[in-house]
Amino acid sequence: MNLSLSSSTSSSSLSSSSSSSSGSWFSGIVRGRSDRPGSVKMANSSAASGAGDGAGPVVKKNQYRGVLFKYGPKSIQVAFKTGDYKQHVIFIGGLTDGFLATEYLEPLAIALDKEKRSLVQLLLSSSYSGYGTSSLQQDAAEIDQLVSHLINKEDSEGVVLLGHSTGCQDIVHYMRTNAACSRAVRAAILQAPVSDREYRATLPETASMIDLASSMIKEERGSELMPREADPGAPMTAYRYHSLCAYMGDDDMFSSDLSDDQLRMRLGHMSNTPCQVIFSMSDEYVPDYVDKKALVERLCKALGGAEKVEIEYGNHSLSNRVEEAVKAIIDFVKREGPNGWDDPWN
């Protein structure tokens, strides 16, 4: 897949989307931000915005037009934005994901552009094969850095967080931190909030590996790597393996065997944020014994009355139900997302 990033390197192409952060409602709240511009705009700025010349954010299949920018000091902390608007939808992928993680992102970028909203895809330290040596805490800190960048460099008027798979855990954890920038989150969408623990429990090696991870953590070796068979896809620390696979581990938020009180304890703080749950009724990562309808009902209740969207026959990434996914997301964003100047401090 090719991110269609024009390679003009003239000095005029190096700029942030906002020439000054002094007018931001968040200036003076977040300190220590860099004044160095972090955005690299495409050669044709009007095309990059998707406005003014009729050109949208997608050039052709798997080619996007937009802005690639750094939002933090680490080399991995890069994000890609389509459209040049003040309301942002931030897509947060799951394990192994990076840019262009799901099939619905392309039509979603087009649909959001029509609504004068930008889609932002970010890379985290946990992206691609980095998930095994990262954590929800680290993801949340980096998401906060991105939101801060959008506020202070792009004059954002608010964001909607869209999580896919383990990205849903990132959103829930981030909103629990009550970080200053989290006040800019106007709504959240959880697409495929499923239990990593219940899925991994179907694998033969999981039980013994949980025991090993628990022992390593007790020995204060949680940051050390597990044997390769724990996860052939990526290096995995004992802590992250335990977080993903153990009962009531840090990542264990959506399991069907958690009690209503346990779900409420883990998800109840989301009741302060408009929330939509998009659940695939044929999700291949949900074990067959799980009553999906009952589970999604319990999750929405624990989230404080979240909007429920059940996609019949939809798979985990909704690659077979793209139009339904985009429609559900757009309808919710238009209803609950930021509109114009939306100061969360008032």
Side-chain angles (χ1 to χ4, degrees), residues 28-51:
I29 301 298
V30 178
R31 303 301 184 193
R33 64 186 183 273
S34 170
D35 291 326
R36 181 177 59 193
S39 300
V40 180
K41 287 195 175 182
M42 300 307 100
N44 187 337
S45 60
S46 63
S49 70

Side-chain angles (χ1 to χ4, degrees), residues 57-58 64 82 104-114 117 119:
V58 176
Y64 288 57
T82 55
Y104 63 72
L105 286 178
E106 188 172 298
L108 179 61
I110 296 171
L112 286 171
D113 192 77
K114 292 177 181 177
R117 300 173 190 269
L119 174 66

Side-chain angles (χ1 to χ4, degrees), residues 30 37 45 50-51 56-57 64 67 71 75 92 112 134 139 168 222 233 252-253 263 303 323 325 331 342:
V30 178
S45 60
Y64 288 57
V67 179
Y71 66 90
S75 59
I92 305 167
L112 286 171
S134 187
D139 286 352
C168 298
D252 192 13
M253 299 181 184
L263 288 175
L303 288 160
E323 290 184 10
D331 287 349
D342 190 4

Side-chain angles (χ1 to χ4, degrees), residues 6 50 53 98 100 120 144 272:
S6 302
D53 64 351
L100 314 188
V120 181
D144 198 58
N272 297 320

Side-chain angles (χ1 to χ4, degrees), residues 103 282 311-322 324:
E103 292 289 333
S282 295
I311 306 291
E312 293 296 331
Y313 308 109
N315 60 21
H316 186 63
S317 66
L318 291 175
S319 60
N320 63 339
R321 290 293 184 273
V322 168
E324 293 176 54

